[in-house]
Amino acid sequence: MARLIWRQLRGRAGRSVALLLGVLVATTGFVVLTGATTTSRLVVTGTVERNTRAAYDILVRPKGTRTPLEAERRLVRPNYLSGLFGGLTPAQYEQVKAVSGVEVAAPIAMLGHVDTVIGGSLDLTAAVDRRLDQQVIRVDLNFDTDRGLSVGHAKPRYVYLTRHPLIYPDYSAPPGPMVRYTDGADYPADSCGFQFQVPREVQPDGRSLPVCNPLARAASGVAGSTMSELDMTSLSPARLLPDGRFEFGPARGGKPPEPSRRLLLPVGISVSLLLAAVDPAAEDRLVGLDAAIEEGQPLRPDSSPASGGYEGGAREFPVLATSRPFIDGTVAATYRRLTPPRISGLPADAVESSLAALPGVPAGSGRDNFADRYLGEIRRMIQHPDECCGGDLDVVIQAGPTEYDQLPDNVLRPRTFTVDPSVYGSEFVVRRQTSWLSGDKLFRPINQLPLGSTGMGPHRSWRPVGTFDPLRLTGFSDLARVPLETYEPPTVEGADDRSRAALAGRPLLPAGHPGGYLSAPPLLLTNLASVPELLKESNARARRAPISAIRVRVSDVDGYSERSAERVRLVAERIAEATGLDVDITLGSSPAPQTVALPAGSFGRPELRLTENWSALGVAASIIRAVDRKSLALFALVLVVCGFFLANAVSAAVRDRRAELAVLACLGWPARRIGALILGEVAMLGMAAGILALGLAVPLGTVLGIDIGWRRAALAVPVGLLLALVAAVVPALRAARTNPAAALRPPVAGVQRAHRSRTLFGLALVNLLRTPGRTLLGAGALAIGVAALTLVTAAAYAFRGAIVGSLLGDTVSLSVRGADQLAAAATVLLGAAAVADVLYLNVRDRATELAALRAVGWSDAALARLVGYEGLGLGLLGAGAGAALGLAGTAALIGSLPVELSLVGVLVAAAGVLLTCAATLVPTALLRRIPTARLLAEE
């Protein structure tokens, strides 16, 4: 039998080589494509493992603090912890630390936003007319934020400049109805109509008159006032000395201010910084806090509040202050020089009305960025610890989380809140001026948490011991940097052209108000040891459970893997069982961009569409599951297409030997011997093709950038043999049942019902019906190719659909797209090869018929159109069926039929029709080589 098989293969060298090449292409394609799929999976898992190491693996929060969006879409808003105040007790913290497998448990207690006035100055020197004896410089201030889109127009401020001497109150003197001034005389304390001490101008006749300040009157006359920078009309007196210097500012120690060459008007802007308490040792182990110190000294776990510069048991709490306030805010000023009427001696209300009515001439402008001034203010407090004063801690503002409405296009729209102004102060406490943005739309609920005395003095204050740079904390991959990370600065970009143009291509930054949309991370850090003293006069809940969250790093975990995921899951379960708290696994999370529609503000900011990086939980696990499903789907599709291609090639070879097999049956060969002959020939070719594929797979993989080792390449031999045998089973069974009369039947039968065709296309359709098996085989080959391409596209679509929406998922999707495209191209090529083979056999088997048509007068062009129309009909049947089959499989694979994939099915079907028409060019070219005379003579 072996010799006979070898003779048969040698005797039909052309068909044997064609079948050998078919098995070789299928086997090599299978090995290379499965190698590409495996390589793709290794790339994905490697990318996931490298980019999923975050600062902590588990987040422990109070029970019931998950937001609806988090529960529904597994999304957490950036800096979510900044809106979470208390809820965990120190005892629960100890329970978490005691859980086996916990390497670091770092608690954080968000305490609230504290007022910080960032001081700056405007240089008015150039606006002074040194020829005048008295003049007023009007300063019109505009505060702006949101990249200049929100602008607040403040009441004007005035600098009254005189050449006459000024005398100042001696603040070191005890209070009373009379006030001692720097000239040694006593004057009434209420000379401006209210209990306030103001400078006095010495008149030419020797008398002195008070220079009343409207701001002082407003602050004194309104209990509980919470004026913002926009509400303060003030008059600041200054003296132009004979030598050209300026005497300006408060008196110190009963002496006039130090003269200066520049006339600098102090201007401050109130911003809010979030204060949090941490365990410095745990924080250093978690994120490297000590290594991020820039100035001063680290925060010590045992640092305790010190006595402040106030009476009544005032306390000053140590903090680490940020060196980056992440605040967007500037002030612009225009100057006008006024020639004033008599001001000295007028009541404060008369001063304000008189100045407002005066005309003036332009005298210049100025601008200052107060975020740039922030660090200088912090440094001053660090370098002069004995100097008054630190930041106020009389009350803190606690701003809750933002709530959202989901628009029909899945865009999130934050809700606005109305806040009672009393949260900024009380009838007993007049705080420093509030931010002008308190009048803007607020996107967070705001509450007040009193910390100190209700008296006028700030009995609680903070003072920095050092500064830290949040960007120098332990960094991780940008693909896995979780936006709910404690110190992550907000990142918000314009989401459409209009918004990007409004922001001038820059990111939106926090405005410096606790109720604003963007929440900055905690930028003032104190230690947990100070919390009991800090909250001593606060409410019972705050004292009992001050900790907001506990961030947990699990031991022996380094990036995402199945082992690490299981270890983290076990530790999370233990924590949940021990504490009963909300426990979330953050391992494998990644930023997920969300579109937010920010409503227009009250100070000119238009509505903006923003892209904000939220945290998508469980991204790594979704990626690994999706790539496994995709690998399995591609593996099965490649196997089916290769098997079908071989089955078609073997069937064509068996059809070509119809007469020979019928003769063997007439000579008495049993069915099993005929079947064994076919299987033996195909098995020998499969073995040879497998060996050749073994030598081709590795070099081909190297050229394509696919890692195919020799072990995987060795699979080509059994795969080639198995594929060949499976493909030969049905043709071998058909050959075994060959009827001896088959040798006498023509390969092309007539139709069962006579039909006269009036068009060439109609005749082509009749010809297709005369060979239904062959027609179905050709259409089936094309249908498999079209269906396979559609399903490969669906598999890639389902894979990306499972992971896109996060930065890590988008990166992984890009890394595997090449493998998807390679698999799709291979399925199309294999399907096209099967179609071309069927069309070639169809023309060859009908060669006698075509010769007869030429003999009766048909031109070669008419015969070519006939074959072309047959190919078109075959293409329409096969492509249509394949598209329907592929779309049905798509719906089963991903559970729906997206419009995008429906369009893909239509386009692939159209490409299949065009491919079939192109495939007819080869058999059409053979028409000219048909030996008409010989075929008719043989017939």
Side-chain angles (χ1 to χ4, degrees):
M1 178 66 74
R3 291 183 179 179
L4 180 60
I5 292 173
W6 174 246
R7 288 175 183 156
Q8 291 290 329
L9 294 176
R10 290 181 59 189
R12 292 174 177 81
R15 173 53 62 180
S16 298
V17 170
L19 188 57
L20 175 66
L21 290 176
V23 179
L24 178 62
V25 169
T27 304
T28 306
F30 175 78
V31 172
V32 172
L33 289 177
T34 54
T37 302
T38 303
T39 301
S40 171
R41 187 186 188 282
L42 293 175
V43 170
V44 169
T45 54
T47 301
V48 170
E49 289 179 6
R50 288 192 305 271
N51 294 288
T52 50
R53 191 67 177 111
Y56 53 91
D57 307 310
I58 298 172
L59 180 65
V60 183
R61 292 178 287 177
K63 190 71 174 176
T65 53
R66 291 192 181 99
T67 64
L69 274 175
E70 185 177 352
E72 175 187 351
R73 297 167 60 178
R74 300 283 290 163
L75 291 174
V76 182
R77 198 187 169 228
N79 294 320
Y80 171 71
L81 292 181
S82 296
L84 187 60
F85 299 95
L88 302 179
T89 65
Q92 289 171 323
Y93 169 48
E94 295 298 327
Q95 287 178 314
V96 172
K97 283 202 306 183
V99 170
S100 175
V102 172
E103 179 182 347
V104 180
I108 185 164
M110 300 294 179
L111 299 172
H113 296 262
V114 299
D115 266 358
T116 302
V117 176
I118 299 178
S121 61
L122 298 172
D123 192 344
L124 308 182
T125 307
V128 175
D129 187 345
R130 298 177 181 270
R131 297 169 300 175
L132 300 178
D133 190 55
Q134 292 175 320
Q135 58 190 297
V136 170
I137 300 174
R138 172 174 170 155
V139 180
D140 291 300
L141 298 174
N142 293 325
F143 296 94
D144 67 74
T145 186
D146 296 334
R147 297 302 187 185
L149 298 177
S150 293
V151 180
H153 304 286
K155 286 187 175 182
R157 302 187 189 182
Y158 301 93
V159 174
Y160 172 56
L161 185 61
T162 179
R163 290 183 176 275
H164 301 160
L166 295 174
I167 58 174
Y168 299 87
D170 184 356
Y171 294 106
S172 62
M178 302 296 289
V179 178
R180 178 65 54 87
Y181 273 71
T182 53
D183 63 350
D186 294 331
Y187 298 93
D190 58 353
S191 55
C192 284
F194 48 85
Q195 188 70 26
F196 205 82
Q197 303 171 4
V198 297
R200 300 174 70 90
E201 181 183 11
V202 179
Q203 302 300 309
D205 59 4
R207 295 181 303 124
S208 66
L209 298 175
V211 184
C212 296
N213 189 346
L215 170 62
R217 174 179 178 274
S220 177
V222 182
S225 171
T226 56
M227 295 175 299
S228 75
E229 294 97 338
L230 305 184
D231 303 322
M232 300 181 297
T233 298
S234 65
L235 176 69
S236 302
R239 184 187 179 193
L240 178 58
L241 298 175
D243 60 3
R245 292 184 298 167
F246 300 96
E247 187 181 88
F248 182 52
R252 298 181 182 277
K255 297 181 180 180
E258 290 291 332
S260 172
R261 290 289 180 185
R262 315 295 299 175
L263 181 59
L264 301 177
L265 175 66
V267 180
I269 185 169
S270 177
V271 298
S272 294
L273 300 179
L274 182 58
L275 173 67
V278 298
D279 179 347
E283 209 67 22
D284 184 50
R285 294 180 61 196
L286 189 72
V287 294
L289 181 60
D290 288 354
I293 301 298
E294 290 194 328
E295 291 189 58
Q297 58 186 9
L299 186 66
R300 296 193 303 270
D302 56 350
S303 296
S304 57
S307 298
Y310 296 94
E311 299 179 358
R315 308 290 282 169
E316 212 169 50
F317 292 83
V319 303
L320 271 181
T322 179
S323 62
R324 299 177 186 267
F326 302 121
I327 292 171
D328 170 28
T330 60
V331 59
T334 57
Y335 312 141
R336 295 183 68 84
R337 188 167 51 251
L338 314 178
T339 302
R342 186 177 63 85
I343 292 178
S344 298
L346 292 180
D349 52 358
V351 170
E352 183 174 6
S353 59
S354 297
L355 292 176
L358 289 177
V361 295
S365 63
R367 189 174 185 86
D368 203 353
N369 186 330
F370 286 96
D372 296 339
R373 300 278 186 172
Y374 159 83
L375 194 55
E377 190 76 14
I378 296 297
R379 285 172 176 165
R380 179 190 64 79
M381 289 191 281
I382 294 175
Q383 296 170 1
H384 302 282
D386 299 328
E387 184 178 306
C388 176
C389 303
D392 290 343
L393 276 179
D394 50 357
V395 296
V396 297
I397 299 296
Q398 295 184 338
T402 308
E403 299 177 6
Y404 293 89
D405 293 317
Q406 188 167 320
L407 302 181
D409 55 355
N410 288 329
V411 173
L412 301 175
R413 186 180 184 87
R415 298 174 183 172
T416 58
F417 291 86
T418 301
V419 176
D420 186 344
S422 65
V423 299
Y424 300 112
S426 68
E427 61 179 330
F428 302 106
V429 178
V430 180
R431 310 180 71 201
R432 295 177 176 178
Q433 72 266 23
T434 62
S435 171
W436 60 278
L437 289 166
S438 60
D440 201 356
K441 286 183 179 177
L442 304 182
F443 298 97
R444 301 169 184 274
I446 293 179
N447 297 297
Q448 180 192 103
L449 180 67
L451 296 181
S453 169
T454 58
M456 291 294 292
H459 289 188
R460 296 287 187 272
S461 62
W462 59 268
R463 181 175 293 276
V465 297
T467 62
F468 75 99
D469 184 356
L471 300 185
R472 287 176 55 187
L473 297 173
T474 302
F476 303 95
S477 165
D478 289 338
L479 302 180
R481 185 185 294 276
V482 185
L484 57 80
E485 171 55 48
T486 314
Y487 306 102
E488 184 73 12
T491 303
V492 181
E493 308 278 350
D496 56 22
D497 292 339
R498 181 185 60 81
S499 299
R500 285 190 289 269
L503 295 170
R506 298 170 295 176
L508 190 67
L509 295 177
H513 187 267
Y517 176 69
L518 290 181
S519 175
L523 300 176
L524 298 176
L525 301 179
T526 188
N527 54 15
L528 282 177
S530 299
V531 170
E533 174 67 22
L534 185 63
L535 300 178
K536 183 170 61 175
E537 299 184 26
S538 183
N539 59 60
R541 178 188 177 277
R543 294 195 302 270
R544 181 182 61 83
I547 299 174
S548 302
I550 303 169
R551 295 147 298 149
V552 176
R553 181 187 296 164
V554 178
S555 60
D556 198 20
V557 170
D558 186 16
Y560 185 90
S561 65
E562 294 182 0
R563 173 184 172 277
S564 296
E566 180 62 18
R567 181 169 178 80
V568 172
R569 185 189 64 80
L570 289 175
V571 173
E573 285 185 354
R574 293 171 189 161
I575 294 174
E577 292 174 358
T579 63
L581 302 170
D582 282 352
V583 180
D584 295 291
I585 295 176
T586 59
L587 175 70
S589 301
S590 178
Q594 302 296 309
T595 302
V596 177
L598 188 66
S602 302
F603 292 100
R605 187 195 66 238
E607 180 173 340
L608 298 174
R609 285 220 164 193
L610 305 171
T611 298
E612 185 174 22
N613 277 337
W614 290 41
S615 294
L617 303 180
V619 170
S622 298
I623 290 175
I624 297 300
R625 288 195 300 267
V627 76
D628 286 341
R629 289 195 300 267
K630 183 181 73 71
S631 298
L632 180 61
L634 291 177
F635 181 88
L637 288 172
V638 170
L639 186 62
V640 168
V641 173
C642 291
F644 186 86
F645 174 76
L646 291 180
N648 180 67
V650 175
S651 296
V654 171
R655 286 196 311 274
D656 193 37
R657 299 169 58 188
R658 296 169 60 252
E660 176 191 329
L661 295 176
V663 171
L664 291 176
C666 290
L667 294 176
W669 277 49
R672 64 176 180 276
R673 187 174 177 82
I674 294 176
L677 176 65
I678 300 299
L679 289 176
E681 293 177 6
V682 175
M684 186 172 291
L685 291 175
M687 181 68 72
I691 294 173
L692 291 175
L694 171 61
L696 289 176
V698 174
L700 185 59
T702 303
V703 172
L704 297 176
I706 300 172
D707 185 15
I708 302 176
W710 288 107
R711 288 187 179 181
R712 179 175 297 279
L715 293 176
V717 177
V719 167
L721 179 60
L722 182 61
L723 282 176
L725 290 175
V726 170
V729 168
V730 174
L733 291 176
R734 291 180 57 193
R737 293 196 295 266
T738 299
N739 192 313
L744 304 176
R745 288 199 296 266
V748 179
V751 295
Q752 296 180 356
R753 181 179 178 182
H755 179 76
R756 179 177 295 178
S757 301
R758 297 184 181 275
T759 63
L760 199 60
F761 184 70
L763 181 59
L765 294 180
V766 171
N767 287 335
L768 292 177
L769 293 175
R770 291 171 60 194
T771 55
R774 183 171 298 163
T775 298
L776 292 177
L777 184 61
L782 181 60
I784 288 294
V786 171
L789 178 57
T790 305
L791 286 175
V792 166
T793 305
Y797 180 89
F799 168 69
R800 282 192 287 271
I803 66 172
V804 295
S806 66
L807 299 186
L808 180 58
D810 291 343
T811 299
V812 167
S813 175
L814 290 174
S815 70
V816 302
R817 192 166 296 167
D820 295 341
Q821 293 171 346
L822 182 62
T827 56
V828 173
L829 291 176
L830 291 173
V835 171
D837 194 27
V838 169
L839 289 174
Y840 169 77
L841 291 175
N842 195 16
V843 171
R844 199 182 74 169
D845 287 347
R846 292 173 53 222
T848 302
E849 176 186 324
L850 296 174
L853 291 175
R854 176 183 289 172
V856 298
W858 281 49
S859 65
D860 288 344
L863 292 177
R865 287 198 301 272
L866 177 62
V867 174
Y869 283 143
E870 290 180 12
L872 178 61
L874 189 66
L876 289 173
L877 177 62
L885 181 63
L887 293 177
T890 296
L893 177 65
I894 65 178
S896 63
L897 191 59
V899 176
E900 297 91 339
L901 289 185
S902 299
L903 181 60
V904 167
V906 173
L907 293 177
V908 171
V913 174
L914 293 176
L915 183 64
T916 306
C917 294
T920 61
L921 296 176
V922 175
T924 300
L926 297 177
L927 291 173
R928 297 179 180 179
R929 302 173 57 185
I930 292 177
T932 304
R934 183 176 62 80
L935 290 175
L936 292 178
E938 292 176 353
E939 187 67 21

